[in-house]
Amino acid sequence: MSEKTTHLKVKNLEKMYPNGVKALKGLSVDVYKGEFLAVIGLSGSGKSTFLRCVNRLNDPTGGEIIFEDQDIASLSGSGVRKIRGDIAMIFQKFNLVGRHTVLSNVLMGSLSRTGFFRSVMGFYKEEDKEKAVEYLKLVGLAEKTHVRADELSGGQQQRVAIARALMQQPKILLADEPVASLDPALCHTVMDYLKEINKSLGITVLCNLHHLDLVKEYSDRAIALKDGEKVFEGSPAEINDEWFKQIYGEEARRVQ
Amino acid sequence: MQINFKRSLINTVLFAYTLAAVYFLTGYFMGTLPSKEHFLDIDKIKVGSLLFLVMGFVLDCGSNWSSLKTIGDQLFSKKIEFVKTASNVFWKLHIYLVLILTIIASIIVVEFSFMDLFDEYGFQGAVRLFKGIFSPNFEILPRALHAIVETIYIAFLATFIAVPIAFFFSFVGAKNVMTHPVAFAVYMTLRTFLNIVRSVEPLIWAIIFSVWVGIGPFAGMLALMLHSVASLTKQYSEIVECIDDGPVEGVKATGAGILQTIAFGIVPQIVLPYISFTIYRWDINVRMATVIGLVGGGGIGTMLIQYQGQAMWREVGCIVVVIAVVVWVLDTGSAYIREAIK
């Protein structure tokens, strides 16, 4: 990346759950425009909470998230919904609506700009319908357009979820463990699509990952969280055995 | 042993019950019980109950002091004893005693009597009744059919009106939708209100409405409708509470509004169970409409009670046949549909 402009500025982000667990303890990080940022750390280190705070599926209890001169952390109601339109998310469990068709699921990406009655009656705009088909082609599922979403395999469902996210025309894509429930052999197809979106469409990607191999292969930059605090920030290539032990603890061993 | 409120409460009540049962049964068999009027005096009832409870409490304290293992200990104390001594099986003996006393007392209260069951005169009456029912008088069939159609429509309209109301209430009555503190207060109010409505039998509602709007099918429909709203809301909202959060979050994350989130995230997950419960409710309502007719809710029930009142058993037989056929058809049909859409 030749020049870095900050796309998302996270300052002292804190999240305490009602049961008193502090998932984030003052996290600060700059996310640059167009980069593929990997977030790593153990389960419970706060990386899911971090991503879910960015699109306000979780409400932060302190700090700021500056995006386009707006503090996401202090938005409410319609402001939150508007920001979610700009910041798409894909999930570990895909979170598709199983009983709806693949096409209908992808069209749900345009809900934020479609009125309630139009969307419920299925009167999406023609251009949106064309776009949906186009994105399904992009993720290689054109022939599955009218199949029910729950009839697809895990990898295919995640690709539908990517198409749904693209349908939002997002500026940022959050990916919360996108390949953790997939067969390891299928990981790369999904990761490849994410990478392609990142590079060809220029969408900033924030991706939680378990596997260090995937981090090294796909991300431009990585941050590591431990107990809600940032313990590493830099290039994935810098994560040597020493860093590894610091991030994952003394007892951890690298899986080859 | 530490003081435990639940343990003491259950012990006190059970000891009091045991003592009272022994007192009354002994009195009953010895013939030394005072007259019935004696027991209808509210002051004597108060004093008597208090007396037994105090004695129960004394026994509870005694058992606690002597470290007898009582039912309360077994239920509410964490301590586990492996030694099988007499004091450790006391709670079992106590349960047997309570059970035996209750069985004896209930036989006396019910006035259970083989004599009445096989009494010759009574038996002949039953034979006469069954003879009538088993040789139905099909001359009244047209009127019976007319009445059963009325009953089916009562049930249908009651269900039809109840469904949209219950559909709306089901979201308000679902804990996972009403998370906001204010919303939770609304949720609690609605649940409490509907629980009260549901705990009043449709039969009672029918009596209330037949005074309100007059005897007839309209009263029956209102009674069933009210009961259906309460029951369906409970069943519907339990479905809403069991849904998978994933799709809801998936839809929410696209920036969808609240109504869109419900329409796309929740509704697709609940629509089939809703249909299933609705058909089942209509099925139940047809059967209930018959019973409600007995107290003036219109339809076949009203017709049945008229002939029954005049002891016209052959006509009653015809009505019973009509009811049985319709209920059987609806039962089978609704089970078949519910199986098909699963």
Side-chain angles (χ1 to χ4, degrees), chain A residues 180-230:
Chain A
S181 1
L182 297 181
D183 194 300
L186 294 171
C187 272
H188 290 283
T189 51
V190 167
M191 289 306 295
D192 284 339
Y193 282 118
L194 285 182
K195 188 76 185 167
E196 191 183 325
I197 288 160
N198 173 243
K199 290 294 165 258
S200 64
L201 301 176
I203 297 170
T204 310
V205 175
L206 257 82
C207 185
N208 283 349
L209 283 173
H210 262 310
H211 277 280
L212 223 47
D213 295 345
L214 293 176
V215 175
K216 290 193 171 170
E217 188 169 345
Y218 291 98
S219 68
D220 303 321
R221 220 157 58 86
I223 62 169
L225 301 185
K226 191 179 183 184
D227 297 329
E229 285 171 80
K230 187 172 74 181

Side-chain angles (χ1 to χ4, degrees), chain A residues 133-153:
Chain A
V133 174
E134 186 188 314
Y135 288 133
L136 274 174
K137 253 182 227 159
L138 185 79
V139 294
L141 288 172
E143 78 282 11
K144 300 281 187 192
T145 310
H146 298 290
V147 177
R148 254 173 66 159
D150 54 9
E151 284 170 11
L152 301 186
S153 70

